C-alpha cells in the first residue's frame, strides 16, 4: 500500500509527462491517452528505460526526469486533480501488470524509502478520517 502513494507521484509524472512551472505542473499533457500508452508495451518500456537511464529519452522523458525529484519531495503539491487520478490508474497498472518495473522505479527514485514513509503516513490519516 505504501508504494502506491510514492509511485503515484512518480508515475503521475511519468504518465502525464509534465514539466514544472512556478506554482503548478503544466497541464499540457493532461489529455494524453494514458490507457493507450499502458496498452502499448513498446512505448511504455521506452519510457521506463528512459526513467531508469537504460535507454534514450524523448524530450518529454527528459522533462519528466527533471521534474520528478521535485514532485516526490513536495508530495505532488503542484499536481492538479486530473493528474492525481491518472497517476492512480498508472500505478495500479504497473503494480499488477509490470511489478518488476514498479520495483526498479521505486528503487531508483526512493532508495531510502523516505517518500514511501511520508505517503504511508498520509494514507493512514485519510483512512482514519
Amino acid at each position: 500500500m505504501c508504494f502506491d502513494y510514492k509511485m503515484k507521484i512518480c508515475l503521475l509524472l511519468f504518465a502525464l509527462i509534465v514539466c514544472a512551472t512556478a506554482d503548478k505542473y503544466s497541464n499540457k499533457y493532461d489529455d494524453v491517452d494514458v490507457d493507450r500508452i499502458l496498452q502499448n508495451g513498446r512505448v511504455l518500456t521506452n519510457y521506463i528505460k528512459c526513467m531508469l537511464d537504460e535507454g534514450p529519452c524523448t524530450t518529454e522523458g527528459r522533462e519528466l526526469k527533471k521534474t520528478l525529484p521535485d514532485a516526490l519531495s513536495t508530495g505532488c503539491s503542484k499536481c492538479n486533480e486530473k493528474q492525481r487520478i491518472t497517476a492512480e490508474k498508472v500505478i495500479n497498472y504497473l503494480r499488477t501488470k509490470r511489478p518488476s518495473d514498479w520495483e526498479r522505479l521505486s528503487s531508483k527514485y526512493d532508495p531510502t524509502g523516505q517518500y514511501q514513509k511520508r505517503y504511508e503516513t498520509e494514507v493512514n490519516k485519510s483512512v482514519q478520517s
Side-chain angles (χ1 to χ4, degrees):
M1 179 182 283
C2 53
F3 276 101
D4 289 345
Y5 291 90
K6 177 191 72 158
M7 289 307 296
K8 183 179 289 187
I9 302 308
C10 173
L11 296 174
L12 161 70
L13 297 172
F14 176 77
L16 300 178
I17 314 166
V18 297
C19 60
T21 61
D23 297 279
K24 293 286 182 186
Y25 297 119
S26 172
N27 64 358
K28 181 177 180 179
Y29 299 103
D30 282 7
D31 293 322
V32 167
D33 186 349
V34 174
D35 292 316
R36 190 171 180 184
I37 292 170
L38 294 175
Q39 297 306 316
N40 186 326
R42 182 185 56 79
V43 172
L44 183 56
T45 295
N46 287 340
Y47 276 108
I48 291 169
K49 285 182 177 181
C50 166
M51 296 304 298
L52 294 171
D53 297 318
E54 295 175 355
C57 295
T58 62
T59 300
E60 295 85 2
R62 284 189 296 275
E63 289 179 27
L64 172 59
K65 284 173 63 171
K66 183 174 68 176
T67 304
L68 185 57
D70 178 69
L72 289 171
S73 69
T74 64
C76 207
S77 64
K78 298 177 185 178
C79 298
N80 66 37
E81 186 63 23
K82 183 168 184 172
Q83 292 164 345
R84 292 177 193 274
I85 291 168
T86 301
E88 189 157 340
K89 178 186 285 190
V90 173
I91 288 164
N92 289 333
Y93 181 88
L94 291 176
R95 284 183 63 234
T96 60
K97 305 291 187 191
R98 298 191 60 167
S100 63
D101 290 327
W102 172 269
E103 290 300 321
R104 292 171 57 215
L105 288 164
S106 297
S107 294
K108 177 175 173 100
Y109 288 97
D110 190 15
T112 64
Q114 73 183 48
Y115 303 123
Q116 175 182 324
K117 290 174 190 167
R118 180 187 313 151
Y119 300 117
E120 184 176 306
T121 300
E122 290 176 18
V123 170
N124 289 337
K125 286 180 188 175
S126 66
V127 169
Q128 293 173 358
S129 298

